[in-house]
mmCIF file with all atom_site columns, all heavy atoms in Angstrom:
data_model
loop_
_atom_site.group_PDB
_atom_site.id
_atom_site.type_symbol
_atom_site.label_atom_id
_atom_site.label_alt_id
_atom_site.label_comp_id
_atom_site.label_asym_id
_atom_site.label_entity_id
_atom_site.label_seq_id
_atom_site.pdbx_PDB_ins_code
_atom_site.Cartn_x
_atom_site.Cartn_y
_atom_site.Cartn_z
_atom_site.occupancy
_atom_site.B_iso_or_equiv
_atom_site.pdbx_formal_charge
_atom_site.auth_seq_id
_atom_site.auth_comp_id
_atom_site.auth_asym_id
_atom_site.auth_atom_id
_atom_site.pdbx_PDB_model_num
ATOM 1   N N   . ALA Y 1 1  ? 67.557 86.970  98.253  1.00 98.00 ? 11 ALA Y N   1
ATOM 2   C CA  . ALA Y 1 1  ? 67.125 85.610  97.921  1.00 98.00 ? 11 ALA Y CA  1
ATOM 3   C C   . ALA Y 1 1  ? 68.118 84.937  96.981  1.00 98.00 ? 11 ALA Y C   1
ATOM 4   O O   . ALA Y 1 1  ? 68.350 83.721  97.063  1.00 98.00 ? 11 ALA Y O   1
ATOM 5   C CB  . ALA Y 1 1  ? 65.730 85.641  97.297  1.00 98.00 ? 11 ALA Y CB  1
ATOM 6   N N   . LEU Y 1 2  ? 68.739 85.709  96.102  1.00 98.00 ? 12 LEU Y N   1
ATOM 7   C CA  . LEU Y 1 2  ? 69.736 85.138  95.193  1.00 98.00 ? 12 LEU Y CA  1
ATOM 8   C C   . LEU Y 1 2  ? 70.980 84.665  95.943  1.00 98.00 ? 12 LEU Y C   1
ATOM 9   O O   . LEU Y 1 2  ? 71.699 83.782  95.466  1.00 98.00 ? 12 LEU Y O   1
ATOM 10  C CB  . LEU Y 1 2  ? 70.138 86.174  94.143  1.00 98.00 ? 12 LEU Y CB  1
ATOM 11  C CG  . LEU Y 1 2  ? 69.123 86.420  93.019  1.00 98.00 ? 12 LEU Y CG  1
ATOM 12  C CD1 . LEU Y 1 2  ? 69.472 87.698  92.255  1.00 98.00 ? 12 LEU Y CD1 1
ATOM 13  C CD2 . LEU Y 1 2  ? 69.060 85.228  92.072  1.00 98.00 ? 12 LEU Y CD2 1
ATOM 14  N N   . HIS Y 1 3  ? 71.234 85.236  97.109  1.00 97.00 ? 13 HIS Y N   1
ATOM 15  C CA  . HIS Y 1 3  ? 72.405 84.846  97.902  1.00 97.00 ? 13 HIS Y CA  1
ATOM 16  C C   . HIS Y 1 3  ? 72.401 83.364  98.215  1.00 97.00 ? 13 HIS Y C   1
ATOM 17  O O   . HIS Y 1 3  ? 73.468 82.726  98.291  1.00 97.00 ? 13 HIS Y O   1
ATOM 18  C CB  . HIS Y 1 3  ? 72.450 85.666  99.197  1.00 97.00 ? 13 HIS Y CB  1
ATOM 19  C CG  . HIS Y 1 3  ? 73.663 85.418  100.038 1.00 97.00 ? 13 HIS Y CG  1
ATOM 20  N ND1 . HIS Y 1 3  ? 73.724 84.392  100.972 1.00 97.00 ? 13 HIS Y ND1 1
ATOM 21  C CD2 . HIS Y 1 3  ? 74.869 86.027  100.071 1.00 97.00 ? 13 HIS Y CD2 1
ATOM 22  C CE1 . HIS Y 1 3  ? 74.911 84.399  101.552 1.00 97.00 ? 13 HIS Y CE1 1
ATOM 23  N NE2 . HIS Y 1 3  ? 75.618 85.384  101.026 1.00 97.00 ? 13 HIS Y NE2 1
ATOM 24  N N   . ASP Y 1 4  ? 71.224 82.779  98.394  1.00 95.00 ? 14 ASP Y N   1
ATOM 25  C CA  . ASP Y 1 4  ? 71.106 81.360  98.742  1.00 95.00 ? 14 ASP Y CA  1
ATOM 26  C C   . ASP Y 1 4  ? 70.730 80.497  97.543  1.00 95.00 ? 14 ASP Y C   1
ATOM 27  O O   . ASP Y 1 4  ? 70.349 79.335  97.702  1.00 95.00 ? 14 ASP Y O   1
ATOM 28  C CB  . ASP Y 1 4  ? 70.050 81.194  99.845  1.00 95.00 ? 14 ASP Y CB  1
ATOM 29  C CG  . ASP Y 1 4  ? 70.399 81.972  101.098 1.00 95.00 ? 14 ASP Y CG  1
ATOM 30  O OD1 . ASP Y 1 4  ? 71.592 82.000  101.472 1.00 95.00 ? 14 ASP Y OD1 1
ATOM 31  O OD2 . ASP Y 1 4  ? 69.485 82.567  101.696 1.00 95.00 ? 14 ASP Y OD2 1
ATOM 32  N N   . SER Y 1 5  ? 70.823 81.040  96.338  1.00 97.00 ? 15 SER Y N   1
ATOM 33  C CA  . SER Y 1 5  ? 70.405 80.322  95.136  1.00 97.00 ? 15 SER Y CA  1
ATOM 34  C C   . SER Y 1 5  ? 71.613 79.852  94.345  1.00 97.00 ? 15 SER Y C   1
ATOM 35  O O   . SER Y 1 5  ? 72.717 80.394  94.460  1.00 97.00 ? 15 SER Y O   1
ATOM 36  C CB  . SER Y 1 5  ? 69.535 81.245  94.269  1.00 97.00 ? 15 SER Y CB  1
ATOM 37  O OG  . SER Y 1 5  ? 69.272 80.674  93.008  1.00 97.00 ? 15 SER Y OG  1
ATOM 38  N N   . ARG Y 1 6  ? 71.398 78.849  93.492  1.00 97.00 ? 16 ARG Y N   1
ATOM 39  C CA  . ARG Y 1 6  ? 72.443 78.385  92.578  1.00 97.00 ? 16 ARG Y CA  1
ATOM 40  C C   . ARG Y 1 6  ? 72.590 79.323  91.386  1.00 97.00 ? 16 ARG Y C   1
ATOM 41  O O   . ARG Y 1 6  ? 73.517 79.175  90.588  1.00 97.00 ? 16 ARG Y O   1
ATOM 42  C CB  . ARG Y 1 6  ? 72.102 76.983  92.063  1.00 97.00 ? 16 ARG Y CB  1
ATOM 43  C CG  . ARG Y 1 6  ? 70.763 76.939  91.341  1.00 97.00 ? 16 ARG Y CG  1
ATOM 44  C CD  . ARG Y 1 6  ? 70.481 75.595  90.709  1.00 97.00 ? 16 ARG Y CD  1
ATOM 45  N NE  . ARG Y 1 6  ? 69.156 75.552  90.122  1.00 97.00 ? 16 ARG Y NE  1
ATOM 46  C CZ  . ARG Y 1 6  ? 68.816 76.120  88.976  1.00 97.00 ? 16 ARG Y CZ  1
ATOM 47  N NH1 . ARG Y 1 6  ? 69.714 76.806  88.291  1.00 97.00 ? 16 ARG Y NH1 1
ATOM 48  N NH2 . ARG Y 1 6  ? 67.589 76.019  88.508  1.00 97.00 ? 16 ARG Y NH2 1
ATOM 49  N N   . ILE Y 1 7  ? 71.685 80.286  91.233  1.00 98.00 ? 17 ILE Y N   1
ATOM 50  C CA  . ILE Y 1 7  ? 71.730 81.208  90.099  1.00 98.00 ? 17 ILE Y CA  1
ATOM 51  C C   . ILE Y 1 7  ? 72.906 82.160  90.263  1.00 98.00 ? 17 ILE Y C   1
ATOM 52  O O   . ILE Y 1 7  ? 73.102 82.749  91.330  1.00 98.00 ? 17 ILE Y O   1
ATOM 53  C CB  . ILE Y 1 7  ? 70.422 82.004  89.989  1.00 98.00 ? 17 ILE Y CB  1
ATOM 54  C CG1 . ILE Y 1 7  ? 69.242 81.071  89.713  1.00 98.00 ? 17 ILE Y CG1 1
ATOM 55  C CG2 . ILE Y 1 7  ? 70.518 83.070  88.899  1.00 98.00 ? 17 ILE Y CG2 1
ATOM 56  C CD1 . ILE Y 1 7  ? 67.892 81.752  89.745  1.00 98.00 ? 17 ILE Y CD1 1
ATOM 57  N N   . GLN Y 1 8  ? 73.690 82.322  89.197  1.00 98.00 ? 18 GLN Y N   1
ATOM 58  C CA  . GLN Y 1 8  ? 74.823 83.246  89.219  1.00 98.00 ? 18 GLN Y CA  1
ATOM 59  C C   . GLN Y 1 8  ? 74.352 84.647  88.861  1.00 98.00 ? 18 GLN Y C   1
ATOM 60  O O   . GLN Y 1 8  ? 73.608 84.842  87.912  1.00 98.00 ? 18 GLN Y O   1
ATOM 61  C CB  . GLN Y 1 8  ? 75.906 82.822  88.225  1.00 98.00 ? 18 GLN Y CB  1
ATOM 62  C CG  . GLN Y 1 8  ? 77.095 83.773  88.174  1.00 98.00 ? 18 GLN Y CG  1
ATOM 63  C CD  . GLN Y 1 8  ? 78.045 83.506  87.018  1.00 98.00 ? 18 GLN Y CD  1
ATOM 64  O OE1 . GLN Y 1 8  ? 77.731 82.709  86.131  1.00 98.00 ? 18 GLN Y OE1 1
ATOM 65  N NE2 . GLN Y 1 8  ? 79.188 84.158  87.015  1.00 98.00 ? 18 GLN Y NE2 1
ATOM 66  N N   . SER Y 1 9  ? 74.801 85.623  89.625  1.00 98.00 ? 19 SER Y N   1
ATOM 67  C CA  . SER Y 1 9  ? 74.532 87.024  89.310  1.00 98.00 ? 19 SER Y CA  1
ATOM 68  C C   . SER Y 1 9  ? 75.743 87.610  88.599  1.00 98.00 ? 19 SER Y C   1
ATOM 69  O O   . SER Y 1 9  ? 76.843 87.641  89.164  1.00 98.00 ? 19 SER Y O   1
ATOM 70  C CB  . SER Y 1 9  ? 74.251 87.825  90.587  1.00 98.00 ? 19 SER Y CB  1
ATOM 71  O OG  . SER Y 1 9  ? 73.108 87.333  91.249  1.00 98.00 ? 19 SER Y OG  1
ATOM 72  N N   . VAL Y 1 10 ? 75.542 88.046  87.355  1.00 98.00 ? 20 VAL Y N   1
ATOM 73  C CA  . VAL Y 1 10 ? 76.602 88.703  86.601  1.00 98.00 ? 20 VAL Y CA  1
ATOM 74  C C   . VAL Y 1 10 ? 76.411 90.211  86.775  1.00 98.00 ? 20 VAL Y C   1
ATOM 75  O O   . VAL Y 1 10 ? 75.436 90.789  86.283  1.00 98.00 ? 20 VAL Y O   1
ATOM 76  C CB  . VAL Y 1 10 ? 76.556 88.322  85.114  1.00 98.00 ? 20 VAL Y CB  1
ATOM 77  C CG1 . VAL Y 1 10 ? 77.656 89.048  84.342  1.00 98.00 ? 20 VAL Y CG1 1
ATOM 78  C CG2 . VAL Y 1 10 ? 76.686 86.808  84.946  1.00 98.00 ? 20 VAL Y CG2 1
ATOM 79  N N   . VAL Y 1 11 ? 77.314 90.826  87.515  1.00 98.00 ? 21 VAL Y N   1
ATOM 80  C CA  . VAL Y 1 11 ? 77.185 92.244  87.844  1.00 98.00 ? 21 VAL Y CA  1
ATOM 81  C C   . VAL Y 1 11 ? 77.770 93.080  86.707  1.00 98.00 ? 21 VAL Y C   1
ATOM 82  O O   . VAL Y 1 11 ? 78.940 92.918  86.356  1.00 98.00 ? 21 VAL Y O   1
ATOM 83  C CB  . VAL Y 1 11 ? 77.903 92.571  89.168  1.00 98.00 ? 21 VAL Y CB  1
ATOM 84  C CG1 . VAL Y 1 11 ? 77.668 94.032  89.554  1.00 98.00 ? 21 VAL Y CG1 1
ATOM 85  C CG2 . VAL Y 1 11 ? 77.422 91.646  90.270  1.00 98.00 ? 21 VAL Y CG2 1
ATOM 86  N N   . CYS Y 1 12 ? 76.969 93.973  86.146  1.00 98.00 ? 22 CYS Y N   1
ATOM 87  C CA  . CYS Y 1 12 ? 77.364 94.770  84.995  1.00 98.00 ? 22 CYS Y CA  1
ATOM 88  C C   . CYS Y 1 12 ? 77.611 96.218  85.408  1.00 98.00 ? 22 CYS Y C   1
ATOM 89  O O   . CYS Y 1 12 ? 77.348 96.606  86.541  1.00 98.00 ? 22 CYS Y O   1
ATOM 90  C CB  . CYS Y 1 12 ? 76.282 94.685  83.918  1.00 98.00 ? 22 CYS Y CB  1
ATOM 91  S SG  . CYS Y 1 12 ? 75.858 92.981  83.463  1.00 98.00 ? 22 CYS Y SG  1
ATOM 92  N N   . ARG Y 1 13 ? 78.094 97.027  84.471  1.00 98.00 ? 23 ARG Y N   1
ATOM 93  C CA  . ARG Y 1 13 ? 78.487 98.393  84.789  1.00 98.00 ? 23 ARG Y CA  1
ATOM 94  C C   . ARG Y 1 13 ? 77.461 99.433  84.353  1.00 98.00 ? 23 ARG Y C   1
ATOM 95  O O   . ARG Y 1 13 ? 77.533 100.576 84.780  1.00 98.00 ? 23 ARG Y O   1
ATOM 96  C CB  . ARG Y 1 13 ? 79.848 98.698  84.154  1.00 98.00 ? 23 ARG Y CB  1
ATOM 97  C CG  . ARG Y 1 13 ? 80.964 97.772  84.647  1.00 98.00 ? 23 ARG Y CG  1
ATOM 98  C CD  . ARG Y 1 13 ? 81.020 97.723  86.179  1.00 98.00 ? 23 ARG Y CD  1
ATOM 99  N NE  . ARG Y 1 13 ? 81.963 96.762  86.675  1.00 98.00 ? 23 ARG Y NE  1
ATOM 100 C CZ  . ARG Y 1 13 ? 83.190 97.070  87.095  1.00 98.00 ? 23 ARG Y CZ  1
ATOM 101 N NH1 . ARG Y 1 13 ? 83.613 98.319  87.068  1.00 98.00 ? 23 ARG Y NH1 1
ATOM 102 N NH2 . ARG Y 1 13 ? 83.990 96.125  87.547  1.00 98.00 ? 23 ARG Y NH2 1
ATOM 103 N N   . GLN Y 1 14 ? 76.547 99.065  83.498  1.00 98.00 ? 24 GLN Y N   1
ATOM 104 C CA  . GLN Y 1 14 ? 75.497 99.985  83.072  1.00 98.00 ? 24 GLN Y CA  1
ATOM 105 C C   . GLN Y 1 14 ? 74.316 99.155  82.612  1.00 98.00 ? 24 GLN Y C   1
ATOM 106 O O   . GLN Y 1 14 ? 74.480 98.077  82.048  1.00 98.00 ? 24 GLN Y O   1
ATOM 107 C CB  . GLN Y 1 14 ? 75.996 100.899 81.947  1.00 98.00 ? 24 GLN Y CB  1
ATOM 108 C CG  . GLN Y 1 14 ? 75.273 102.227 81.838  1.00 98.00 ? 24 GLN Y CG  1
ATOM 109 C CD  . GLN Y 1 14 ? 74.217 102.256 80.733  1.00 98.00 ? 24 GLN Y CD  1
ATOM 110 O OE1 . GLN Y 1 14 ? 73.840 101.219 80.192  1.00 98.00 ? 24 GLN Y OE1 1
ATOM 111 N NE2 . GLN Y 1 14 ? 73.733 103.447 80.405  1.00 98.00 ? 24 GLN Y NE2 1
ATOM 112 N N   . GLU Y 1 15 ? 73.112 99.658  82.881  1.00 98.00 ? 25 GLU Y N   1
ATOM 113 C CA  . GLU Y 1 15 ? 71.920 98.852  82.647  1.00 98.00 ? 25 GLU Y CA  1
ATOM 114 C C   . GLU Y 1 15 ? 71.708 98.524  81.171  1.00 98.00 ? 25 GLU Y C   1
ATOM 115 O O   . GLU Y 1 15 ? 71.175 97.450  80.838  1.00 98.00 ? 25 GLU Y O   1
ATOM 116 C CB  . GLU Y 1 15 ? 70.683 99.569  83.198  1.00 98.00 ? 25 GLU Y CB  1
ATOM 117 C CG  . GLU Y 1 15 ? 70.635 99.658  84.708  1.00 98.00 ? 25 GLU Y CG  1
ATOM 118 C CD  . GLU Y 1 15 ? 71.403 100.858 85.278  1.00 98.00 ? 25 GLU Y CD  1
ATOM 119 O OE1 . GLU Y 1 15 ? 71.989 101.628 84.468  1.00 98.00 ? 25 GLU Y OE1 1
ATOM 120 O OE2 . GLU Y 1 15 ? 71.430 101.024 86.514  1.00 98.00 ? 25 GLU Y OE2 1
ATOM 121 N N   . GLY Y 1 16 ? 72.129 99.437  80.277  1.00 98.00 ? 26 GLY Y N   1
ATOM 122 C CA  . GLY Y 1 16 ? 72.024 99.118  78.850  1.00 98.00 ? 26 GLY Y CA  1
ATOM 123 C C   . GLY Y 1 16 ? 72.868 97.913  78.497  1.00 98.00 ? 26 GLY Y C   1
ATOM 124 O O   . GLY Y 1 16 ? 72.433 97.025  77.751  1.00 98.00 ? 26 GLY Y O   1
ATOM 125 N N   . GLY Y 1 17 ? 74.089 97.849  79.036  1.00 98.00 ? 27 GLY Y N   1
ATOM 126 C CA  . GLY Y 1 17 ? 74.950 96.696  78.807  1.00 98.00 ? 27 GLY Y CA  1
ATOM 127 C C   . GLY Y 1 17 ? 74.365 95.426  79.397  1.00 98.00 ? 27 GLY Y C   1
ATOM 128 O O   . GLY Y 1 17 ? 74.428 94.351  78.786  1.00 98.00 ? 27 GLY Y O   1
ATOM 129 N N   . ALA Y 1 18 ? 73.773 95.530  80.582  1.00 98.00 ? 28 ALA Y N   1
ATOM 130 C CA  . ALA Y 1 18 ? 73.166 94.355  81.214  1.00 98.00 ? 28 ALA Y CA  1
ATOM 131 C C   . ALA Y 1 18 ? 72.019 93.812  80.371  1.00 98.00 ? 28 ALA Y C   1
ATOM 132 O O   . ALA Y 1 18 ? 71.881 92.595  80.173  1.00 98.00 ? 28 ALA Y O   1
ATOM 133 C CB  . ALA Y 1 18 ? 72.665 94.715  82.616  1.00 98.00 ? 28 ALA Y CB  1
ATOM 134 N N   . ALA Y 1 19 ? 71.176 94.720  79.851  1.00 98.00 ? 29 ALA Y N   1
ATOM 135 C CA  . ALA Y 1 19 ? 70.053 94.279  79.020  1.00 98.00 ? 29 ALA Y CA  1
ATOM 136 C C   . ALA Y 1 19 ? 70.538 93.670  77.713  1.00 98.00 ? 29 ALA Y C   1
ATOM 137 O O   . ALA Y 1 19 ? 69.953 92.703  77.205  1.00 98.00 ? 29 ALA Y O   1
ATOM 138 C CB  . ALA Y 1 19 ? 69.115 95.454  78.751  1.00 98.00 ? 29 ALA Y CB  1
ATOM 139 N N   . MET Y 1 20 ? 71.626 94.208  77.145  1.00 98.00 ? 30 MET Y N   1
ATOM 140 C CA  . MET Y 1 20 ? 72.166 93.641  75.911  1.00 98.00 ? 30 MET Y CA  1
ATOM 141 C C   . MET Y 1 20 ? 72.778 92.270  76.166  1.00 98.00 ? 30 MET Y C   1
ATOM 142 O O   . MET Y 1 20 ? 72.713 91.386  75.305  1.00 98.00 ? 30 MET Y O   1
ATOM 143 C CB  . MET Y 1 20 ? 73.172 94.602  75.293  1.00 98.00 ? 30 MET Y CB  1
ATOM 144 C CG  . MET Y 1 20 ? 72.537 95.867  74.746  1.00 98.00 ? 30 MET Y CG  1
ATOM 145 S SD  . MET Y 1 20 ? 73.736 97.068  74.124  1.00 98.00 ? 30 MET Y SD  1
ATOM 146 C CE  . MET Y 1 20 ? 72.680 98.512  73.945  1.00 98.00 ? 30 MET Y CE  1
ATOM 147 N N   . MET Y 1 21 ? 73.374 92.069  77.344  1.00 98.00 ? 31 MET Y N   1
ATOM 148 C CA  . MET Y 1 21 ? 73.858 90.733  77.693  1.00 98.00 ? 31 MET Y CA  1
ATOM 149 C C   . MET Y 1 21 ? 72.695 89.758  77.785  1.00 98.00 ? 31 MET Y C   1
ATOM 150 O O   . MET Y 1 21 ? 72.780 88.611  77.305  1.00 98.00 ? 31 MET Y O   1
ATOM 151 C CB  . MET Y 1 21 ? 74.614 90.776  79.019  1.00 98.00 ? 31 MET Y CB  1
ATOM 152 C CG  . MET Y 1 21 ? 75.957 91.464  78.952  1.00 98.00 ? 31 MET Y CG  1
ATOM 153 S SD  . MET Y 1 21 ? 76.841 91.313  80.520  1.00 98.00 ? 31 MET Y SD  1
ATOM 154 C CE  . MET Y 1 21 ? 77.983 92.699  80.374  1.00 98.00 ? 31 MET Y CE  1
ATOM 155 N N   . ALA Y 1 22 ? 71.593 90.192  78.384  1.00 98.00 ? 32 ALA Y N   1
ATOM 156 C CA  . ALA Y 1 22 ? 70.421 89.320  78.482  1.00 98.00 ? 32 ALA Y CA  1
ATOM 157 C C   . ALA Y 1 22 ? 69.875 89.004  77.094  1.00 98.00 ? 32 ALA Y C   1
ATOM 158 O O   . ALA Y 1 22 ? 69.459 87.873  76.817  1.00 98.00 ? 32 ALA Y O   1
ATOM 159 C CB  . ALA Y 1 22 ? 69.352 89.980  79.353  1.00 98.00 ? 32 ALA Y CB  1
ATOM 160 N N   . ASP Y 1 23 ? 69.885 89.997  76.210  1.00 98.00 ? 33 ASP Y N   1
ATOM 161 C CA  . ASP Y 1 23 ? 69.459 89.757  74.827  1.00 98.00 ? 33 ASP Y CA  1
ATOM 162 C C   . ASP Y 1 23 ? 70.346 88.715  74.166  1.00 98.00 ? 33 ASP Y C   1
ATOM 163 O O   . ASP Y 1 23 ? 69.855 87.783  73.519  1.00 98.00 ? 33 ASP Y O   1
ATOM 164 C CB  . ASP Y 1 23 ? 69.511 91.065  74.042  1.00 98.00 ? 33 ASP Y CB  1
ATOM 165 C CG  . ASP Y 1 23 ? 69.295 90.868  72.555  1.00 98.00 ? 33 ASP Y CG  1
ATOM 166 O OD1 . ASP Y 1 23 ? 70.275 90.533  71.848  1.00 98.00 ? 33 ASP Y OD1 1
ATOM 167 O OD2 . ASP Y 1 23 ? 68.161 91.049  72.092  1.00 98.00 ? 33 ASP Y OD2 1
ATOM 168 N N   . CYS Y 1 24 ? 71.669 88.855  74.310  1.00 98.00 ? 34 CYS Y N   1
ATOM 169 C CA  . CYS Y 1 24 ? 72.588 87.900  73.691  1.00 98.00 ? 34 CYS Y CA  1
ATOM 170 C C   . CYS Y 1 24 ? 72.365 86.498  74.244  1.00 98.00 ? 34 CYS Y C   1
ATOM 171 O O   . CYS Y 1 24 ? 72.414 85.507  73.510  1.00 98.00 ? 34 CYS Y O   1
ATOM 172 C CB  . CYS Y 1 24 ? 74.034 88.341  73.903  1.00 98.00 ? 34 CYS Y CB  1
ATOM 173 S SG  . CYS Y 1 24 ? 75.250 87.250  73.140  1.00 98.00 ? 34 CYS Y SG  1
ATOM 174 N N   . HIS Y 1 25 ? 72.108 86.405  75.550  1.00 98.00 ? 35 HIS Y N   1
ATOM 175 C CA  . HIS Y 1 25 ? 71.815 85.116  76.182  1.00 98.00 ? 35 HIS Y CA  1
ATOM 176 C C   . HIS Y 1 25 ? 70.602 84.477  75.495  1.00 98.00 ? 35 HIS Y C   1
ATOM 177 O O   . HIS Y 1 25 ? 70.637 83.300  75.108  1.00 98.00 ? 35 HIS Y O   1
ATOM 178 C CB  . HIS Y 1 25 ? 71.531 85.343  77.668  1.00 98.00 ? 35 HIS Y CB  1
ATOM 179 C CG  . HIS Y 1 25 ? 71.300 84.088  78.443  1.00 98.00 ? 35 HIS Y CG  1
ATOM 180 N ND1 . HIS Y 1 25 ? 72.174 83.641  79.410  1.00 98.00 ? 35 HIS Y ND1 1
ATOM 181 C CD2 . HIS Y 1 25 ? 70.293 83.175  78.423  1.00 98.00 ? 35 HIS Y CD2 1
ATOM 182 C CE1 . HIS Y 1 25 ? 71.717 82.525  79.940  1.00 98.00 ? 35 HIS Y CE1 1
ATOM 183 N NE2 . HIS Y 1 25 ? 70.568 82.217  79.351  1.00 98.00 ? 35 HIS Y NE2 1
#
């Protein structure tokens, strides 16, 4: 569903890093 969305997917290398990016956001 994201393929057809304007939302950007930021692909991360480890889930802890991804969650910390979301926290910083």
